[in-house]
């Protein structure tokens, strides 16, 4: 193999690939990236057996072939180079690198030991604009569980039906749902799949502009975006029937300025205890929402904002960070708080917008 390409393109591709390698003592080849030159194309590949990525980069292929090189070593070396172009040449299982100012040899692996790149016979295919997908994933990822005890809760659920896709996540303390309607989706029957949290975070990092094309089957999902192909295993398990816990009717509904809510939440958060507990009071007579926190080592805090409110009065305790997470994802100027009583969950959404809903469970026994 012998190729000639821009260092920046190679460096960017290797950095993406490196995130999908694995520090595996049993299979050290998983620590490597495969540089593959075939058919006039240059591809950088990596896999950790859970995810796999392939990045196409422009360049000149003088001789076809491939070589597997330790990802971290190659990434660090490329980051240190100041030249514009680089020549890469495989010599046995090693990689010879030449620039205008340097010549380097990096020891490699036997490329035949590199795992076969997964091949997916996609059952369903649809596409989404990159900015919509990025925004949707970000808005629900905040509710993904950080524990691996229940893999289905440390994943994001995708539900695809007709021209709609719903992204849902929950850690059992809060739940976030984002709905996207697109002419590029046409699923005749309901299909759903769970993407692991780590894969979701990687998708956020590799998304560029233009449309993202999805293909998936029972066990894997594949994404195409410009010059990148990303494959991930899907989570096995059954996501909770969350629609059963979403309240259909509410006795209390309050509308407040989003900026005021965020400002007051952040200030109240300074005075919370270890449990981050916040008392929120809804007062229909004063048409206000108040925020009260206390910490025996720091002090106490009380603030109040004016709202448009309908229904009765109630005081309810929440983790203030959970409330802030949800409100911060609202894209409208005004945020709506819907609830029934001091023991019921709180539903948050933007005024006049039902495409994003965020449900928070109250803190009990605190």
């Amino acid at each position: 193999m012998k190729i000639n390409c821009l260092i920046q393109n190679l460096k960017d591709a290797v950095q993406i690939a490196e995130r999908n390698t694995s520090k595996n003592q049993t299979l050290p080849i998983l620590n490597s990236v495969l540089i593959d030159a075939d058919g006039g194309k240059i591809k950088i590949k990596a896999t950790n057996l859970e995810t796999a990525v392939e990045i196409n980069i422009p360049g000149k292929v003088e001789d076809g072939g491939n070589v597997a090189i330790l990802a971290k070593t190659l990434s660090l070396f490329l980051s240190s180079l100041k030249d514009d172009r680089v020549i890469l040449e495989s010599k046995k299982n090693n990689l010879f690198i030449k620039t205008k100012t340097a010549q380097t040899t990096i020891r490699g692996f036997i490329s035949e030991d590199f795992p076969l790149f997964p091949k997916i016979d996609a059952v369903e295919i649809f596409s989404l604009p990159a900015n919509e997908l990025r925004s949707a994933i970000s808005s629900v990822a905040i509710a993904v569980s950080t524990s691996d005890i229940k893999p289905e809760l440390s994943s994001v659920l995708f539900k695809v039906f007709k021209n709609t896709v719903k992204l849902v996540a929950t850690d059992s303390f809060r739940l976030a749902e984002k709905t996207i309607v697109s002419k590029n989706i046409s699923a005749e029957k309901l299909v759903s799949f769970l993407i692991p949290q780590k894969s979701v975070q990687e998708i956020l990092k590799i998304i560029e502009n233009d449309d993202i094309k999805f293909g998936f089957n029972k066990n894997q999902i594949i994404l195409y975006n410009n010059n990148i192909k990303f494959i991930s295993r899907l989570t096995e398990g059954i996501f909770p029937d969350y629609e059963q816990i979403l309240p259909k009717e509410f006795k209390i509904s309050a509308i407040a300025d989003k900026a005021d809510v965020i400002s007051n939440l952040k200030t109240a958060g300074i005075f919370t205890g270890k449990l981050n507990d916040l008392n929120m009071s809804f007062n229909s007579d004063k048409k206000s929402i108040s925020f009260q926190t206390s910490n025996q080592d720091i002090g106490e805090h009380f603030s109040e904002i004016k709202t448009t409110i309908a229904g009765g009065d109630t005081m309810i305790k929440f983790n203030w960070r959970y409330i802030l997470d949800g409100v911060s994802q609202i894209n409208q100027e005004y945020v709506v708080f819907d609830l029934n009583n001091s023991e019921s969950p709180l539903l948050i959404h933007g005024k006049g917008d039902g495409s994003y809903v965020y449900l928070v469970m109250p803190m009990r026994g605190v």
Side-chain angles (χ1 to χ4, degrees):
M1 180 202 78
K2 187 175 182 181
I3 60 175
N4 187 321
C5 64
L6 289 174
I7 291 177
Q8 188 62 50
N9 291 337
L10 180 62
K11 181 172 69 173
D12 292 344
V14 170
Q15 287 176 346
I16 294 172
E18 185 183 6
R19 295 197 300 265
N20 292 274
T21 58
S22 171
K23 295 180 180 178
N24 192 306
Q25 298 295 329
T26 306
L27 293 172
I29 191 71
L30 296 181
N31 297 329
S32 70
V33 296
L34 183 73
I35 304 174
D36 186 23
D38 182 41
K41 296 181 179 180
I42 303 172
K43 299 178 181 179
I44 310 300
K45 300 180 180 181
T47 181
N48 53 29
L49 301 185
E50 294 294 327
T51 63
V53 67
E54 177 183 289
I55 309 103
N56 290 313
I57 63 171
K60 181 180 179 182
V61 178
E62 297 184 21
D63 290 309
N66 53 52
V67 61
I69 298 297
L70 196 64
K72 184 176 181 180
T73 302
L74 181 58
S75 180
L76 288 173
F77 175 74
L78 292 174
S79 296
S80 70
L81 295 178
K82 305 300 181 183
D83 298 296
D84 293 330
R85 302 194 67 87
V86 63
I87 296 174
L88 305 180
E89 185 176 359
S90 60
K91 294 185 176 181
K92 295 184 178 180
N93 293 320
N94 300 326
L95 178 65
F96 176 70
I97 304 174
K98 183 178 179 181
T99 68
K100 287 183 179 180
T101 59
Q103 296 184 32
T104 304
T105 299
I106 301 179
R107 297 189 181 279
F109 297 89
I110 300 173
S111 58
E112 287 77 11
D113 291 342
F114 194 85
L116 293 175
F117 208 73
K119 292 184 178 180
I120 293 184
D121 295 322
V123 176
E124 302 286 347
I125 294 177
F126 65 93
S127 61
L128 289 171
N131 60 333
E132 286 191 33
L133 180 62
R134 184 185 297 108
S135 175
I137 291 178
S138 298
S139 68
V140 302
I142 55 174
V144 172
S145 174
T146 56
S147 170
D148 293 328
I149 296 176
K150 294 183 177 181
E152 64 273 16
L153 297 187
S154 57
S155 305
V156 172
L157 172 69
F158 280 66
K159 294 178 65 178
V160 187
F161 183 55
K162 293 185 177 179
N163 66 336
T164 302
V165 58
K166 289 188 176 183
L167 284 71
V168 191
T170 181
D171 58 5
S172 75
F173 300 107
R174 62 241 180 106
L175 180 145
E177 179 196 68
K178 176 65 178 180
T179 302
I180 301 176
V181 178
S182 173
K183 62 181 180 181
N184 294 323
I185 307 171
S186 58
E188 296 181 358
K189 61 180 181 179
L190 175 65
V191 292
S192 61
F193 51 88
L194 290 164
I195 301 182
Q197 180 188 28
K198 290 182 179 179
S199 297
V200 166
Q201 295 301 325
E202 183 61 25
I203 291 171
L204 280 175
K205 292 175 183 177
I206 65 175
I207 288 177
E208 297 178 351
N209 297 323
D210 301 325
D211 287 354
I212 311 296
K213 187 177 180 181
F214 279 80
F216 59 93
N217 57 24
K218 184 179 179 180
N219 302 311
Q220 294 175 310
I221 185 169
I222 183 167
L223 276 73
Y224 300 92
N225 184 212
N226 292 334
N227 63 326
I228 300 175
K229 179 165 67 175
F230 177 76
I231 297 174
S232 171
R233 286 189 179 181
L234 296 176
T235 301
E236 296 182 4
I238 300 175
F239 197 79
D241 188 5
Y242 72 95
E243 293 180 341
Q244 296 298 318
I245 66 171
L246 289 175
K248 303 298 186 293
E249 298 179 352
F250 301 95
K251 296 178 179 179
I252 303 170
S253 183
I255 304 173
D257 182 274
K258 173 187 171 183
D260 287 346
V261 174
I262 290 178
S263 175
N264 279 264
L265 283 171
K266 289 182 177 179
T267 303
I270 299 172
F271 297 91
T272 57
K274 294 181 179 179
L275 298 178
N276 293 319
D277 49 311
L278 160 78
N279 288 325
M280 285 183 69
S281 295
F282 295 81
N283 191 310
S284 58
D285 292 332
K286 297 174 66 176
K287 295 189 180 303
S288 68
I289 299 176
S290 64
F291 306 87
Q292 186 174 5
T293 52
S294 64
N295 185 313
Q296 62 180 2
D297 298 322
I298 299 175
E300 301 177 352
H301 171 76
F302 175 89
S303 63
E304 194 173 53
I305 60 174
K306 292 298 180 181
T307 68
T308 301
I309 187 169
D313 301 341
T314 192
M315 190 279 288
I316 189 167
K317 191 184 295 288
F318 295 105
N319 182 317
W320 77 274
R321 292 188 181 277
Y322 290 172
I323 302 294
L324 180 63
D325 284 346
V327 173
S328 298
Q329 297 302 321
I330 302 299
N331 293 323
Q332 282 65 41
E333 183 180 359
Y334 293 94
V335 59
V336 181
F337 297 98
D338 292 329
L339 70 159
N340 287 307
N341 53 57
S342 61
E343 297 295 320
S344 70
L346 175 69
L347 189 73
I348 302 172
H349 60 91
K351 182 182 178 182
D353 179 23
S355 67
Y356 180 73
V357 293
Y358 182 83
L359 189 77
V360 189
M361 301 301 293
M363 298 178 72
R364 299 187 176 96
V366 178

